[in-house]
Amino acid sequence: MRVSRLMLNTLRDVPAEADIISHQLLVRGGYVKRLTGGIYAYMPLLWKVLKKITSIVEEELSTKGCLQTLLPQLQPSEIWERSGRWKSYTKGEGIMFSLKDRQGKELGLGPTHEEVITQIISQTIHSYKQLPINIFQIQTKFRDEIRPRFGLMRSREFIMKDAYSFHANENDLQSTYSDMRNAYENIFTKCGLDFVCVDADSGAIGGAASQEFMVTAESGEDLILISSDSKYGANQEKAVSIIEEGKLLEPNKPSIIKTPNQKTIDELCNYNDFHPSQIVKVLAYLATCDDNKKYPVLVSIRGDQEINDIKLSNKISQELKQNVLDIRIISNEDMQKQGISNIPFGFIGPDLSDNLLAQSKAWEKKFIRIADNSAKDLKSFICGNNIKDEHKIFYNWNLINTVQMICDIRKAKPGDRCIHDKTQKLQECRGIEIGHIFQLGTKYSKSLNATFTNEKGVEDHFWMGCYGIGISRLAQAAVEQNHDDLGIIWPTSIAPFTVIIIIANIKNNDQKCLAEDIYQKLIQDRVDVLLDDRDERAGIKFKDADLIGIPWRIVAGREASSGLVELHNRKTKITELLDLNSVFKKLSEEFNTEKL
Amino acid sequence: MRVSRLMLNTLRDVPAEADIISHQLLVRGGYVKRLTGGIYAYMPLLWKVLKKITSIVEEELSTKGCLQTLLPQLQPSEIWERSGRWKSYTKGEGIMFSLKDRQGKELGLGPTHEEVITQIISQTIHSYKQLPINIFQIQTKFRDEIRPRFGLMRSREFIMKDAYSFHANENDLQSTYSDMRNAYENIFTKCGLDFVCVDADSGAIGGAASQEFMVTAESGEDLILISSDSKYGANQEKAVSIIEEGKLLEPNKPSIIKTPNQKTIDELCNYNDFHPSQIVKVLAYLATCDDNKKYPVLVSIRGDQEINDIKLSNKISQELKQNVLDIRIISNEDMQKQGISNIPFGFIGPDLSDNLLAQSKAWEKKFIRIADNSAKDLKSFICGNNIKDEHKIFYNWNLINTVQMICDIRKAKPGDRCIHDKTQKLQECRGIEIGHIFQLGTKYSKSLNATFTNEKGVEDHFWMGCYGIGISRLAQAAVEQNHDDLGIIWPTSIAPFTVIIIIANIKNNDQKCLAEDIYQKLIQDRVDVLLDDRDERAGIKFKDADLIGIPWRIVAGREASSGLVELHNRKTKITELLDLNSVFKKLSEEFNTEKL
C-alpha cells in the first residue's frame, strides 16, 4: 500500500477529546474518528490491526475446536424476560439500548448473547453425544454507557469476541474452561501483550467461577491485587487474603459496659483501650432486588476489617436468588421514612431484633444476617448492645441468639498476606480488562429451560461457559502498553503494516527506484509493507512513521545511489546502514524468530 | 472438520416458516435459525459460506485499491437531519430503526452510510491530491421492513458490503464507477452466479446513474426487462423502449365533439372509431412531498401507453427538489375534501385550468403539468375538453395554452423494441438484487457541505459514488439458483466445505482408516474437507451431504478393503469408483480448472 492512497491524516496536536495516551495516539495517528460520544469509526489503519487480532483469535479458537457463527444484534425482549434480565439491562442503570419496531415489539441491541445462544443450542442439540459444543462470534456489541470514555476502552459500540460452551456435566465445563484459559494466554501472548489473569467477580453475567485477563497499565479502570510471585491475582472485587490474627480478647465473664457517645470503632478503642480486632463491627444495609423488594441486611465484620460491597451484594443475590440492583447503608432518613425510629446506630450488635422492622412500610420485616469469617472466628469479642451508649464485652457467638450466614465479604488490601503462600504479599496495580471467562453453570439453561437427553436417557440442563475478548479494546490496550514520546510502537503481530519504506526525497530518482524495488520485493515475500511516496519533507514522513508506529522503517536516502538504505527499529531505535540483501536477511530473520 | 463436532441439525420436513425453496433449504440444512421475524442466526455452515463470499469481495476490491474500514452502526440523528433524510427514513414507511440513548439523544441503526462517510471524509481529505478515495466496509445493516420475508432475502438484519468513492470531478467518478462495475462482474462470476446487470432507479439513495446486479430467479422480487441479445437490461422501474408509431390522426380543423359518457379510452375508441394512439390520455395525481405539501399533478400520455409511477415520482422530486413520499391518482373523495367539485374526470385535457384548485384547502394551487414523450410527439390528437361529455379533436400542442414538462414517464413492456437495436425485443424476467452501484454526484457532499481544495485552490464539493453488495442475500440467491430435489448444490468457490468424506459403516475398520487417511491428506493439501464420522446409517449421511450441498462426496464403503472409494459430483451426479491417487488427481485437476 502506498501512503498517498492511504488517506493518512495525522495530527500534531493532542486532541482535546482524549484523556489517556492511547486514545490520543489513536486519534493523532488517524486510526479512529469520533462520530459522537463513545462512537468511533475504525479507519483503514485500525481496521488492519483489528483484522490481525481477529485472525489470531480465530486461528487459536479453531485449534480448540470452536465453531464460528454470527448471532443477531437485535434481540427480542421475550428471551431476556425469560432469563429475568430484561428489566435490569434496559431500565435505570441498565446498559442495553432498546427500541420498538414498527409493530411496537421491543428489541434490545445485544451487549451479550447468553439468551440467544442458549435458545438456539437448545433447538439444535438434543443428545449428550453432540456435546460439548463451543461456539463463538466476532461482532459489534452495544452498551449505553453512563459515562463513555477513553476512546475504544469504554465506548458505546465495540467489537467483541464472545464464545459460549455447552456441556453434559460440570467436569466437562471445567475442562473446556481450562482449555479456553489456555487459548486466551496464547492469544494475548501472540498479540504481544503483557497481561495477567486474575480471579474475578461474575457480575451481571452470573455463574460460579470467572477470571479476567488484564493488560497492566496505569490508566486501567480496574484495580487488581497480585501476589509478588504473580501466582495469585484477583480483581479487587474478588480478592481474598489471609485474615491476620488480631489482638486476643481473653475470654471472661460476659457483661454490659457503658460506652457513652462511643459510636465508632476509633472512639470505642480510644476510650477503653480496646483493639479494633477485638470488636465485632455491625452495619445495617438495605438491598434493593429485582423482585422490587427492599431487604434490610445486618452485616458483622471484625472491627479492623472493611466490607467489600460486591462480595456482600453477591452473597445476598445468591441467598435470595434475586439480582441485587442496589445496596447501601441505611441512613436515619431511610428509617424515618419507614416509621422506624429506634435503631441505635453506633451500638448495634449482630443480634439486633427484627421487631424494630415491624413498623417499616416498604421493607421486608426480617434482617438478612451475614457474618464475615473474620468476625465469626472471634472466640471473645466486644459488640454493640442494641441500646444507646451500651456495648457487650467478653461475648461469644453462642450467646448471640440469631442465625448468621458465614462467608467472606471482607475487602482484601495491598500488603495483606496471600492465601496460596503466606510469605507473599498482595500488591495493587491497575489493569485494562481485555478478556473474561466464566463458568456459568446452569443459570441460563435453567431459566430458559434448555435441555438435552443425558447418558441415562433423562432430560438434563446444559452446563454452560462463556468467554469474551474485547477486540477493539485490546487494540487500544496494546497502544497504552506500547508507545513512547514519538507515538505508537505496535507489537509486530498486530501492526497495521510491518515495514514502512520512506523515500527521503521523492524528486531523487535513485531513492525512488531503490525504494520501489524494495517495495516490490517485500510485497512478493508477502510482507505487509507501506511505501511513503508522498511529496513531503523527509522529517514529516519520519514523524508520521513514528506516530503510526510501524515496527520497521527503511529509508532510501542519501546513500541510495550506493545501494544502501537505513533500517530502523521503532522499538529499539537502532538504525543500521545496510545493503538490500542484508536488509532482507535481517527482516526475514526477525520475522522468523517472532513466529517461533 | 468432523461432522460429529459440527452441530449439524438437518430437517426432513419443509419448515412452515419458509415460502421459497432457498429459504426452505437453508432452514432444512441447518444454515440459519430464526430468532424472530426477519432476524436470523447464521449457523457455522452459513458462516463459512459468508466468509468465502467476503474473502472474494475483499480480494477483488483490494485489487481495485479500495480501503477497508468499519463505520458505526449507531448514527446520530443530526447528520441525517443535515442530509434531509431523517424524517423519511424513520417516520411512516421509513425503514430505519431508531432509538433514544440514556441522554435522550436520537440515534438511527444504519441501513446505509452515506452521511457518516461523507462527514468522515470531509474531515480527513482536504486536497484533490488525496483523491480519488474508495473506501468500503462489510457490516451488519438494519431495516425495519414492513414485510420481512423469504429468509435472508428481505430480513431486518443482514450483511452488506458498502463502498463509497470520492472524486474531484464527474469524469473521475465515472471512471471509478466503471471499475466497480467490472469488479462486481468479477465478484459474482467468482461466486459462481448467473447474473445480469441492469439499469436501475436510484430510489431513496439518490444520484444520477445507477445499475443493479440481479441473480435471475423466478422467486425474485424484482421485475426486469432484458433484450434478447442481453445487451440491454433494466429494472422495470427504469426500463425504456422504442415508442411504436401509432395510427396517424390526419390533421384537420380543430373542433369539439360530444362524447356522452365516454370516459375511458376504450369507450371513446368504440363509439368513434378512434385508435388509442390518437388520444392524449390525461390523469390527475396528487404527490405528497417531504416538505409536507401536497402537489396536484396533471400527466399526459398517449392513450395506448401506461404511466410508470416511479419515473413520474422521480421527475416530480427532481422538479421540486423534494422527496416524493407518496403519489396517487386523485379521487372524487379527495376533491370533495378539498371543496373542489368540478374536475370532469374522463374528460380532462392537458390544459385543465388551475382555477379549479382555488378552493382547495390543503393542496398547492397550481398543477404541475407533465407530458410524456409519446403524447408530446403527436401532431394531431384527441383529448378531453375539460367539460363533461366533450372532447377536442384534431388538436395540437400549439393550441394547448399551458406549459408542459416533457420527459419519459412511460412504462416499457415486454415485447417492446429496444432502443439500442430495433431488431431486439424486451423480455421480462424476475431477479434477486445482489448488488447496486450508484453515481451519487454531489447530492450528499452538498447537503453535508463536504468540500476539498481543487487544483485551482478553490473549495469544491466532492463527487461521490456508492456501491453495495448484499452478502447474506447473495448466499441465499446462490441457493435459489443452485439446487435440486435433494438439496443445495453450492458453487465450489462459496461452498462451506468443498469435499465431504462419508464412512458408510463406522464400525468397519477398513472404511474408517481409509476415510481418515483421505481426510488427513486433504487437510494437508488445504482442502476444506468434512468427515462424516457419525454413527448413523449410510443413507442418512448421504441425504445430509446432498441436502447441505457439498460439491464433492467421497464414500469409503464396501470397496474400502481394496483401497477404492466412490467419488461423487453433487452437480453432475456422476459417481466414479477410484483408487486414492486417482481421487486426489481428479480433485486437484478440478480445483485448478475452477481457479483459472
Side-chain angles (χ1 to χ4, degrees), chain A residues 1 4-9 33-36 39-45 47-48 50-51 58 65-76 78-79 92-103 105 107 109 116 119-121 123-126 129-133 135 138-142 144-148 156-157 159, chain B residues 1 4-9 33-36 39-45 47-48 50-51 58 65-76 78-79 92-103 105 107 109 116 119-121 123-126 129-133 135 138-142 144-148 156-157 159:
Chain A
M1 171 68 62
S4 60
R5 309 310 323 135
L6 185 63
M7 219 169 87
L8 189 67
N9 178 235
K33 290 271 174 201
R34 181 176 175 280
L35 183 61
T36 184
I39 297 181
Y40 294 86
Y42 308 141
M43 301 299 280
L45 276 178
W47 181 249
K48 290 208 68 172
L50 295 173
K51 217 160 174 185
E58 286 176 347
C66 298
L67 295 167
Q68 193 162 0
T69 183
L70 190 68
L71 303 173
Q73 291 175 297
L74 286 172
Q75 307 184 4
E78 290 88 344
I79 46 173
E93 301 203 340
I95 50 74
M96 183 154 70
F97 287 106
S98 65
L99 56 84
K100 283 187 180 168
D101 69 12
R102 65 170 67 246
Q103 270 81 39
K105 283 202 178 167
L107 297 163
L109 267 181
V116 171
Q119 173 169 314
I120 285 172
I121 292 296
Q123 292 166 354
T124 309
I125 301 288
H126 305 295
K129 289 182 200 164
Q130 294 168 284
L131 295 173
I133 280 295
I135 188 162
I138 294 172
Q139 181 189 50
T140 295
K141 297 267 193 277
F142 304 90
D144 192 1
E145 289 286 352
I146 296 169
R147 201 153 79 91
R156 297 198 290 171
E157 200 176 316
I159 303 177
Chain B
M1 170 69 62
S4 61
R5 311 308 324 133
L6 185 61
M7 219 169 87
L8 189 68
N9 179 233
K33 290 271 175 203
R34 181 177 174 278
L35 183 61
T36 183
I39 298 182
Y40 295 87
Y42 308 140
M43 301 299 280
L45 275 178
W47 181 249
K48 290 209 67 173
L50 295 172
K51 217 160 175 184
E58 285 176 348
C66 299
L67 296 167
Q68 194 162 0
T69 181
L70 189 68
L71 304 173
Q73 291 175 296
L74 287 171
Q75 306 184 4
E78 292 87 345
I79 43 171
E93 302 204 338
I95 50 73
M96 184 153 70
F97 287 105
S98 65
L99 57 84
K100 283 186 178 169
D101 69 13
R102 66 170 67 247
Q103 269 81 39
K105 283 201 179 167
L107 297 162
L109 267 181
V116 171
Q119 173 169 313
I120 286 172
I121 292 295
Q123 291 166 353
T124 310
I125 302 288
H126 305 296
K129 289 181 200 165
Q130 296 168 283
L131 295 174
I133 279 294
I135 188 162
I138 294 173
Q139 181 189 53
T140 294
K141 297 269 193 275
F142 304 91
D144 192 0
E145 289 286 351
I146 295 169
R147 202 153 79 92
R156 298 198 290 171
E157 200 176 316
I159 304 177

Side-chain angles (χ1 to χ4, degrees), chain B residues 200-451:
Chain B
D201 179 58
S202 303
I205 302 287
S210 97
Q211 287 170 300
E212 284 172 350
F213 290 81
M214 296 277 189
V215 165
T216 48
E218 272 177 36
S219 65
E221 289 190 285
D222 291 286
L223 211 52
I224 52 186
L225 293 165
I226 311 178
S227 66
S228 10
D229 64 359
S230 294
K231 283 188 183 157
Y232 175 79
N235 202 310
Q236 197 205 29
E237 300 159 350
K238 182 79 178 180
V240 292
S241 61
I242 288 177
I243 308 169
E244 296 298 335
E245 267 189 34
K247 194 174 167 194
L248 193 71
L249 180 69
E250 288 294 346
N252 203 327
K253 199 184 156 213
S255 61
I256 308 294
I257 53 170
K258 288 287 177 188
T259 50
N261 291 320
Q262 296 162 27
K263 287 187 170 186
T264 65
I265 301 285
D266 274 358
E267 286 161 352
L268 205 55
C269 290
N270 287 342
Y271 283 95
N272 306 286
D273 199 27
F274 298 151
H275 189 267
S277 63
Q278 297 170 327
I279 302 168
V280 168
K281 174 166 67 177
V282 180
L283 294 162
Y285 281 86
L286 189 69
T288 309
C289 289
D290 61 4
D291 59 356
N292 270 327
K293 292 184 180 166
K294 288 174 190 296
Y295 296 89
V297 185
L298 214 56
V299 185
S300 302
I301 192 164
R302 204 171 79 183
D304 59 342
Q305 302 297 324
E306 279 175 71
I307 291 168
N308 176 325
D309 282 356
I310 305 281
K311 287 184 182 176
L312 175 61
S313 182
N314 285 344
K315 183 66 192 170
I316 299 167
S317 296
Q318 200 182 320
E319 264 311 299
L320 298 176
K321 298 189 175 76
Q322 290 288 337
N323 287 321
V324 173
L325 302 179
D326 178 57
I327 185 153
R328 59 198 169 85
I329 289 192
I330 295 175
S331 68
N332 263 319
E333 204 184 345
D334 290 333
M335 281 170 40
Q336 281 158 16
K337 278 191 193 156
Q338 294 303 313
I340 307 171
S341 55
N342 43 1
I343 292 188
F345 288 119
F347 305 92
I348 307 178
D351 51 354
L352 183 69
S353 168
D354 286 332
N355 293 343
L356 294 174
L357 300 174
Q359 303 301 322
S360 75
K361 292 164 186 161
W363 299 351
E364 291 300 290
K365 298 290 191 288
K366 280 194 174 178
F367 284 113
I368 297 170
R369 293 169 202 268
I370 300 177
D372 180 64
N373 296 319
S374 63
K376 199 67 189 182
D377 287 349
L378 295 176
K379 303 291 174 233
S380 170
F381 55 78
I382 299 140
C383 66
N385 193 31
N386 302 316
I387 294 173
K388 193 171 177 302
D389 298 341
E390 282 188 12
H391 276 84
K392 296 182 173 109
I393 188 166
F394 306 125
Y395 260 61
N396 61 57
W397 289 100
N398 292 330
L399 299 172
I400 301 291
N401 196 20
T402 47
V403 181
Q404 308 285 323
M405 287 189 286
I406 301 144
C407 56
D408 169 35
I409 47 168
R410 183 178 137 266
K411 209 181 253 181
K413 294 186 300 292
D416 283 3
R417 287 187 298 147
C418 298
I419 47 166
H420 78 291
D421 178 349
K422 279 192 267 189
T423 68
Q424 300 290 324
K425 289 194 169 180
L426 287 181
Q427 298 173 333
E428 192 177 75
C429 66
R430 302 198 78 89
I432 301 162
E433 182 194 337
I434 50 169
H436 203 160
I437 56 178
F438 301 84
Q439 289 180 30
L440 296 175
T442 54
K443 175 178 158 132
Y444 294 93
S445 58
K446 280 186 176 155
S447 60
L448 296 161
N449 198 27
T451 61

Side-chain angles (χ1 to χ4, degrees), chain A residues 7 40 78 128 132 152 184 222 227 317 381 418 482 517 549 577:
Chain A
M7 219 169 87
Y40 294 86
E78 290 88 344
Y128 72 95
L152 309 182
Y184 273 39
D222 291 286
S227 66
S317 296
F381 54 78
C418 298
N482 300 280
D517 286 349
L577 193 64

